[in-house]
Amino acid sequence: MSHNTELISSSMEAIERNDDLLTQIFARVLLRDVITFRCVSKRWLSLISALYFRRCHASVKQRVSRLFFDFVPDSVFHQEVKFFYLDKETCPSYSSSSFSPKIPDLGSSQIIQSCNGLMLLQSEEAVFIYNPTTGDKKTLPSSFSSFDSSDLHYSLAFAFDPLRFIGYKVICIFDGVDSKNECFETMIYSSESGVWKRGCFFPSTFRVEFDMMTYFKDSNY
Amino acid sequence: MSGISDTERMITLKTVEGTLFDVKSSIAKDLKTVQAFIDDSDDDVTSPIPLPNVFTRELSRILDYLNNHHRFRSGIEKADEEMARYDAEFAKSMSHEELKALILAANYLNVKDLLEFLNQTVADVIQNKSVEFVRNFFGIENDYTPEEEEKLRNENEWAFNGVEQD
C-alpha cells in the first residue's frame, strides 16, 4: 500500500491520485463499465490497461457477468465475431451488443478457443494469444522446432484462469512421432516460462478426437 | 511483557484537530498502521499516537464501524443480517465527499475490511454511470481531445449502450 507516501503531504490527497486505490475500485466494477471508464482520462486508460489491474479484476468475486462470443463465419475469408453480454439482470439479447473487435489477421486465422477474456488464434504461420479488450497480441514460439510438423495431426487447448494461476498455458496434443507404440504426447507452453515443455504421454488405447478441448477448473476436458 | 491481557489495554490516538480517542488494543489491531507503530515501539506506548492524516470525523466513523463489527462477530445469531443492515445504513449515511474522505483515512490507517467495503460502495456508485458523472465524482479533468475521445467511444460503442443518464 502506498499510504506511507501520503505522510509527506499534510493535506489529504485525492483518491484520484492514488493508483492503488483506484485499481481496487475498478476491480469491483463490472467489466463493461470499466471499458467505458477508459474514456474518463488518459491516466485512467493506462491504469485500466495495466496488467496488474487485469489480474485484480479477475480475483475479486464478481456478480455474474460474462462476455460470451459466438462467431459467425460469413465466408471462408470473412469471419465476423459477435459478442453478447450476459448479465444477471438482463436477458441476453443477441443483437443489441454485437461488435467486431479488431482481431489481427482475422481473415487468415482461426479462433480455436477462448478462456476468461483471452483468445487463442491459429493462422498458417503461427499460433497466438489475443486479448480483444486491449488489443494485445502474443505470438507463441513454434512447438515443433525439433522436427517437421507439417504432417502432424495435433490439437491445441488453452487454459487461462487468473484465479488459480498467474499467466496462461497452452497444451498441444499430438500423435507420438518416434514411438514404437502408438501414443499421444503433450507439450505445454506456459506464459511464465515462455517455452514449450514436454508433458506426459499416454497410450492411445482408443481413437480420441481432441478437437474440442475445454478448460474448466484446473483440467482440460 | 507487562502481563496485562491484550483486550484490556487502551491505546490513545490523536487526530489532526488534536482530539483524543481511547481505543481498545483489540480494535487497534484492525488499524494496521497503528499496530505497526505499536509493534515498532516495543509495545511500550503510553503517549497518544498522532495521526497526521486523519480527521476526527473520519476516525470517529472508522471506530464506530470497527466497534460494531466486533460486536456482531462476537454475537450469537443473525449476525450476518444485522451486519449487512448496519453496513447498508453506514454507506447511505455519507455523502460522496464523506465517502471519499473515509476511504483515504481507511487507506492510511490500513483497515483492510472497511477499505474493501468502501471500495465496493464506490464501485456501486459509479456502476453504470456516464463518464461525465465519474469525472465529477473524482474531480478529474478530461485530457482527451474531442477527436481522441470520439475515437475511443466508437471503438467501444457496445459498452456505452444502457448507461444511466446523469
Side-chain angles (χ1 to χ4, degrees):
Chain A
M1 289 291 248
S2 55
H3 57 269
N4 284 320
T5 58
E6 287 180 83
L7 275 174
I8 298 169
S9 67
S10 55
S11 60
M12 299 254 264
E13 266 194 275
I15 298 178
E16 214 280 304
R17 281 173 250 157
N18 186 324
D19 283 5
D20 205 32
L21 271 183
L22 273 187
T23 305
Q24 291 299 317
I25 294 174
F26 292 157
R28 287 165 172 76
V29 175
L30 292 179
L31 188 62
R32 186 185 71 169
D33 288 317
V34 161
I35 292 175
T36 315
F37 293 160
R38 293 190 304 164
C39 294
V40 168
S41 78
K42 290 182 181 169
R43 219 180 120 253
W44 276 43
L45 174 65
S46 67
L47 262 184
I48 290 172
S49 310
L51 186 63
Y52 172 61
F53 163 70
R54 271 186 247 144
R55 271 175 48 196
C56 258
H57 198 274
S59 65
V60 168
K61 276 211 185 112
Q62 288 261 341
R63 290 167 268 183
V64 173
S65 156
R66 291 281 180 267
L67 202 59
F68 285 91
F69 84 88
D70 182 24
F71 77 90
V72 180
D74 282 347
S75 72
V76 174
F77 298 109
H78 184 78
Q79 285 180 343
E80 189 190 50
V81 182
K82 279 196 158 76
F83 280 69
F84 59 95
Y85 179 71
L86 267 188
D87 193 327
K88 207 161 70 166
E89 283 119 28
T90 65
C91 293
S93 51
Y94 192 82
S95 54
S96 69
S97 357
S98 68
F99 79 110
S100 307
K102 294 184 201 59
I103 299 183
D105 313 317
L106 190 53
S108 57
S109 59
Q110 208 186 10
I111 300 173
I112 301 186
Q113 205 171 37
S114 85
C115 195
N116 270 329
L118 289 185
M119 296 163 79
L120 180 68
L121 293 155
Q122 183 180 23
S123 69
E124 263 186 41
E125 297 90 31
V127 175
F128 50 98
I129 304 282
Y130 177 68
N131 182 341
T133 314
T134 62
D136 286 339
K137 171 180 153 186
K138 169 91 192 276
T139 308
L140 302 186
S142 162
S143 49
F144 304 114
S145 47
S146 53
F147 46 85
D148 179 22
S149 62
S150 48
D151 292 333
L152 219 50
H153 175 69
Y154 63 92
S155 290
L156 293 164
F158 171 50
F160 173 59
D161 192 347
L163 284 170
R164 289 180 193 275
F165 50 86
I166 301 173
Y168 52 82
K169 292 186 161 56
V170 182
I171 296 180
C172 177
I173 297 186
F174 56 97
D175 291 334
V177 182
D178 303 311
S179 47
K180 293 195 181 121
N181 310 310
E182 260 195 27
C183 70
F184 288 112
E185 293 195 47
T186 62
M187 297 268 281
I188 301 177
Y189 172 83
S190 142
S191 64
E192 266 188 291
S193 67
V195 295
W196 287 91
K197 287 204 180 96
R198 245 190 154 85
C200 61
F201 61 89
F202 45 96
S204 57
T205 45
F206 41 87
R207 274 196 71 78
V208 180
E209 280 300 316
F210 283 100
D211 280 336
M212 307 285 276
M213 284 198 280
T214 316
Y215 172 76
F216 181 71
K217 282 196 183 186
D218 265 3
S219 315
N220 268 340
Y221 292 90
Chain B
M1 283 293 223
S2 58
I4 303 175
S5 80
D6 264 349
T7 45
E8 289 170 354
R9 272 177 57 192
M10 298 297 279
I11 312 283
T12 309
L13 304 173
K14 188 161 85 164
T15 65
V16 169
E17 296 103 320
T19 316
L20 299 177
F21 284 84
D22 281 330
V23 176
K24 287 192 213 164
S25 66
S26 57
I27 303 275
K29 277 194 167 49
D30 286 343
L31 308 165
K32 294 215 170 59
T33 309
V34 170
Q35 188 58 47
F37 183 92
I38 295 173
D39 292 340
D40 280 345
S41 331
D42 288 328
D43 273 343
D44 192 17
V45 177
T46 43
S47 51
I49 301 175
L51 304 173
N53 281 16
V54 185
F55 292 88
T56 304
R57 184 185 66 181
E58 273 65 53
L59 186 59
S60 162
R61 278 208 169 103
I62 292 175
L63 293 176
D64 203 42
Y65 183 90
L66 289 175
N67 279 320
N68 273 293
H69 270 239
H70 273 238
R71 199 165 54 85
F72 290 135
R73 258 181 265 140
S74 60
I76 319 125
E77 331 160 338
K78 292 205 186 159
D80 282 348
E81 268 182 42
E82 279 205 49
M83 202 146 78
R85 224 177 303 146
Y86 172 80
D87 283 353
E89 274 308 308
F90 187 80
K92 254 196 282 176
S93 71
M94 290 186 281
S95 69
H96 290 169
E97 282 308 313
E98 291 169 347
L99 178 57
K100 286 190 285 179
L102 196 58
I103 288 183
L104 286 169
N107 185 41
Y108 171 73
L109 291 169
N110 202 354
V111 190
K112 193 161 162 293
D113 286 344
L114 174 60
L115 201 50
E116 269 186 37
F117 169 68
L118 292 175
N119 283 333
Q120 182 64 58
T121 307
V122 169
D124 291 340
V125 167
I126 65 179
Q127 191 79 27
N128 212 29
K129 293 289 200 308
S130 69
V131 170
E132 287 73 32
F133 178 93
V134 173
R135 283 192 194 125
N136 279 334
F137 183 87
F138 287 101
I140 300 172
E141 254 195 57
N142 181 10
D143 57 354
Y144 285 112
T145 67
E147 295 80 28
E148 287 171 331
E149 193 174 337
E150 183 71 27
K151 184 163 172 285
L152 204 51
R153 279 183 190 250
N154 285 335
E155 276 175 17
N156 298 295
E157 201 190 283
W158 64 277
F160 283 91
N161 291 335
V163 166
E164 275 175 36
Q165 298 305 309
D166 275 341

